[in-house]
């Protein structure tokens, strides 16, 4: 017979369902932040306060963000099929 404290020490929980998000939008927001960082660092490089190498870091973030947005667009989940009771409407 298991101990009555076993359930207190090792509770069983069901995992919650995943949250539906628009991954493409999230990636574009991150890419936009990299674009703002590129502008800010570009100004600092022109003024002479930063080395030019930091601009390449921001440019790489933008390129990777655009690649990620393309991946998110290709791999988005299929829309849910809603069954209808009647035949499709004719235009």
């Amino acid at each position: 017979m298991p101990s009555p404290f076993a359930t207190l020490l090792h509770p069983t929980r069901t995992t919650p369902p995943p949250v539906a998000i628009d991954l493409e939008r999230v990636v574009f927001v991150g890419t936009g932040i990299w674009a703002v960082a590129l502008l800010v660092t570009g100004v600092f490089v022109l003024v002479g306060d930063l080395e030019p190498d930091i601009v390449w870091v921001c440019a790489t973030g933008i390129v990777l963000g655009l690649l990620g947005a393309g991946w998110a667009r290709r791999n988005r989940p299929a829309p849910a099929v809603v069954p209808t009771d009647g035949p499709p409407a004719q235009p």
Side-chain angles (χ1 to χ4, degrees):
M1 180 168 164
S3 169
F5 297 110
T7 57
L8 293 175
L9 296 175
H10 303 287
T12 56
R13 298 182 187 136
T14 58
T15 57
V19 178
I21 61 167
D22 184 7
L23 186 59
E24 187 177 2
R25 180 180 292 175
V26 172
V27 172
F28 274 131
V29 168
T31 304
I33 292 171
W34 278 112
V36 170
L38 178 70
L39 293 174
V40 170
T41 56
V43 169
F44 280 121
V45 166
L46 290 176
V47 172
D49 289 342
L50 285 177
E51 296 293 322
D53 294 343
I54 195 70
V55 174
W56 290 109
V57 173
C58 297
T60 303
I62 292 170
V63 170
L64 290 175
L66 293 174
L67 289 172
W71 179 87
R73 180 174 290 161
R74 278 192 313 277
N75 293 313
R76 78 172 54 148
V81 177
V82 178
T84 60
D85 293 335
Q90 297 296 325

